[in-house]
Amino acid sequence: MNSKLVCLLVVTGAVKFSVVAAAPPEVDASVTTIDALVADTLASNPELKFYEAEIAAARAGQKSSGLLDGPSLGADIGRKSTKTLDGVALGDGPAWAVSVTQTFEWPGRLSLRKSIANSDVALAELGLARFRAALAARARVLGYELYAAQQQAEATREVADRFQALLDVLVQRDPAGLTPQLEVRIIEATALTIGRRASKAELAIRSAQLELNQLRGLPPLTSIRMQRSTLDFRPADSLGALLVLARANNFDLKIRSNDVAQQGFRVALAKNERYPSFSVTPFYAEERAAGEERIFGVGVSIPIPLLSRNAANVAASQARRQQAETMILVAERELERKLAASVQAYDAKRAEMANWRADSLKEFRKAAALADRHYRLGAVPATTYVELQKQYLDAVAALLDTQSEALALAGDIELLTGLPAGLVSVTSARD
C-alpha cells in the first residue's frame, strides 16, 4: 500500500470519527412547538415564584401600613399609708391603678404610608409582568434557535455523509497525475471541515436545550425536538407610532414613573414626620387607707420639642426624588435609542429576507445532490462540487440565522413597547 493511500485512509478515519462524535445521543426527545414551549415555560419557570412572593410580601405590607399600633395596658399596685402632720396614723390600705395608652399618628401620616405601600404593590406587579414578557420572548427565541440548530445539524450531517461516501470510493483508487491528487486533497480537507461543522451544530443544539430546560425547571439533559416551523414577519409600525406606545406602556418607564410618585409620597411623609405622635391614656385609680378614693381621668402626652429635627430626612427624600426624576429622563432617552436601533435592524432583516426565493434552500439542496452524482461521473470538477456543498450549508445557516435574529429583534420591540406587536406569526407542522 503506497503512502498516498495510507494518508487517505488516515484522513477518512478522522472524518468518520468526527461525524460519529457529532451524532446526537440515542435519546427519545419530546416533540413540541414554539408556542407550546413558551406556554410551558411561563407555567413552570421557577423564578416566577420569586416575583409572586414579592407581590405577596408587598400586599402584606399594604394591609399593615394603614393600621395604628395596638394600645398598651398598664397597671400599678401598692399600699398607701395616711398620717396627719403630727404623725398620727389615720389608716393604711391597698392602692392600685390601671390605664390604657393609645398612640395616634399625626393626621395624614397613615394615608401617606398606605400610598407608599400601594406603590410597592404596583412595583412588584410591574416586575412580574416585565419578567413574564421577557421570559416569553426568550423562550420563543430559544425555541427557534433550537429548531434552527437541528435543521443545520441535519443539513451538515447530510453533506458529511456525502463526503464520507465519496471518500470511501476514493480510497479504493490510486489517483494518477497532479490534478487528481490535488482534487483528492481538496475533498479530504473539506470533509474534515464539514465534520467540525457538524460537531458545532450538535453543540448548538445542546446549548439551546440546556437553557430551555433551565427556564422550565427540568433536568438539564432532557431532550427536546422542535416541530418544523415557518415564520412570517410583518412590517413594523413607524418609529413615531412605536415611541408613543413605548412611552405609555414600557415596563421600565412605568417602574420609573411609579418610583417618582413613591418618592413624592416619601418627601411628604418626611415633612409630616416633623410633627410628633401623641398618646391618649384613659386611667382608673383606687385607694383605700383612711377612706376610699376613686379617680377616673384621661392623660395626654406629647414629646418636646413639638417640632422634631427632621430636616435631614426631608432633604434626603427630596434628593432621592430628584434622582428618580432624572433617571426617568435618562430611561426615556435610552428607550428611544434602543427602539430606533431595534426597528432599523428589524427592517434590515426583513429587507434581506425579501430577496430570498421561497424554494431557495430546496434548490440548493438539489444542486448539491446533483453535483455529487455528476462529480462521480467525472462531469463536474472538484472545485465546483466542493463549492456547491459549502454554499448549500452556508445558505441554510444564513436563512435560519437571519430569521432567528429577526425573531429576537421582534421580541425586543415588543418588550420596549410593552405590548405584543404581533410582528411574527409562527406556523408549526409535523416533519
Side-chain angles (χ1 to χ4, degrees):
M1 184 179 295
N2 59 31
S3 59
K4 295 177 183 177
L5 186 57
V6 171
C7 180
L8 192 57
L9 287 172
V10 171
V11 172
T12 303
V15 173
K16 286 183 178 179
F17 175 78
S18 176
V19 175
V20 170
E26 297 297 329
V27 178
D28 293 335
S30 59
V31 180
T32 186
T33 65
I34 292 179
D35 290 339
L37 193 63
V38 171
D40 184 38
T41 302
L42 290 176
S44 57
N45 181 266
E47 290 185 56
L48 285 170
K49 295 180 180 179
F50 170 83
Y51 291 92
E52 292 167 354
E54 190 74 15
I55 292 176
R59 286 178 176 164
Q62 182 187 41
K63 292 179 181 179
S64 62
S65 63
L67 300 178
L68 287 170
D69 291 337
S72 58
L73 177 66
D76 299 303
I77 187 169
R79 189 167 186 82
K80 181 177 180 181
S81 178
T82 305
K83 296 181 181 180
T84 65
L85 294 177
D86 297 332
V88 178
L90 298 178
D92 59 5
W96 57 275
V98 293
S99 63
V100 176
T101 302
Q102 175 65 59
T103 300
F104 294 92
E105 301 283 1
W106 196 263
R109 189 172 302 171
L110 289 180
S111 62
L112 288 172
R113 288 177 179 168
K114 192 162 188 177
S115 297
I116 293 173
N118 291 339
S119 297
D120 288 337
V121 174
L123 283 172
E125 290 174 343
L126 282 171
L128 175 61
R130 179 175 62 177
F131 179 75
R132 287 181 62 86
L135 182 63
R138 183 59 183 159
R140 188 176 296 110
V141 170
L142 279 174
Y144 191 77
E145 286 181 354
L146 176 58
Y147 165 75
Q150 289 170 345
Q151 294 300 307
Q152 290 188 51
E154 181 180 330
T156 306
R157 285 195 297 268
E158 176 187 355
V159 174
D161 291 343
R162 188 174 292 148
F163 272 96
Q164 182 60 54
L166 180 60
L167 282 173
D168 290 341
V169 174
L170 292 178
V171 295
Q172 305 299 325
R173 303 175 183 175
D174 187 9
L178 179 61
T179 299
Q181 292 180 24
L182 293 178
E183 288 184 351
V184 169
R185 297 299 175 267
I186 292 173
I187 299 297
E188 293 171 358
T190 306
L192 288 172
T193 303
I194 299 301
R196 173 176 172 80
R197 195 164 182 169
S199 298
K200 292 178 68 175
E202 294 298 334
L203 289 175
I205 293 176
R206 304 291 180 273
S207 177
Q209 285 182 341
L210 286 172
E211 188 169 353
L212 280 169
N213 289 333
Q214 180 184 10
L215 291 180
R216 297 188 300 161
L218 296 177
L221 297 182
T222 302
S223 296
I224 313 167
R225 179 75 185 175
M226 301 302 299
Q227 288 187 12
R228 187 173 297 276
S229 300
T230 303
L231 302 183
D232 182 26
F233 298 89
R234 77 166 184 83
D237 294 335
S238 66
L239 180 59
L242 291 174
L243 282 172
V244 171
L245 287 175
R247 291 190 183 102
N249 301 291
N250 178 263
F251 291 112
D252 288 333
L253 281 187
K254 283 184 176 181
I255 290 173
R256 296 292 183 188
S257 298
N258 192 293
D259 189 36
V260 169
Q262 189 180 69
Q263 292 302 331
F265 292 134
R266 292 187 185 278
V267 170
L269 178 61
K271 291 180 178 179
N272 183 280
E273 287 177 343
R274 292 180 300 178
Y275 303 100
S277 302
F278 58 94
S279 300
V280 177
T281 307
F283 65 91
Y284 170 77
E286 183 175 313
E287 298 176 358
R288 295 180 181 180
E292 183 175 354
E293 295 181 6
R294 294 176 182 174
I295 304 173
F296 297 90
V298 176
V300 177
S301 62
I302 189 168
I304 297 175
L306 184 61
L307 292 179
S308 65
R309 297 176 180 178
N310 201 38
N313 290 336
V314 174
S317 298
Q318 289 174 336
R320 284 192 288 269
R321 182 177 64 179
Q322 290 176 353
Q323 287 180 328
E325 291 172 348
T326 301
M327 289 307 299
I328 196 172
L329 294 175
V330 173
E332 286 179 355
R333 300 294 179 267
E334 185 72 6
L335 172 63
E336 292 173 0
R337 181 189 66 80
K338 288 183 177 180
L339 187 57
S342 296
V343 171
Q344 290 174 359
Y346 177 76
D347 290 340
K349 297 299 179 183
R350 285 194 70 256
E352 180 182 342
M353 290 184 288
N355 295 324
W356 298 342
R357 293 188 310 172
D359 59 347
S360 294
L361 289 185
K362 186 182 296 184
E363 293 301 322
F364 274 115
R365 185 177 185 181
K366 288 181 179 178
L370 185 64
D372 181 66
R373 290 196 300 271
H374 284 271
Y375 175 74
R376 294 169 185 269
L377 297 174
V380 173
T383 53
T384 302
Y385 168 74
V386 170
E387 188 65 21
L388 275 172
Q389 307 306 314
K390 287 183 175 181
Q391 289 301 323
Y392 167 50
L393 295 181
D394 288 343
V396 171
L399 187 148
L400 294 173
D401 289 347
T402 301
Q403 288 185 331
S404 180
E405 291 165 2
L407 181 62
L409 289 167
D412 291 341
I413 293 172
E414 291 188 357
L415 283 176
L416 291 171
T417 56
L419 292 173
L423 294 176
V424 186
S425 61
V426 182
T427 304
S428 300
R430 292 284 183 182
D431 291 339

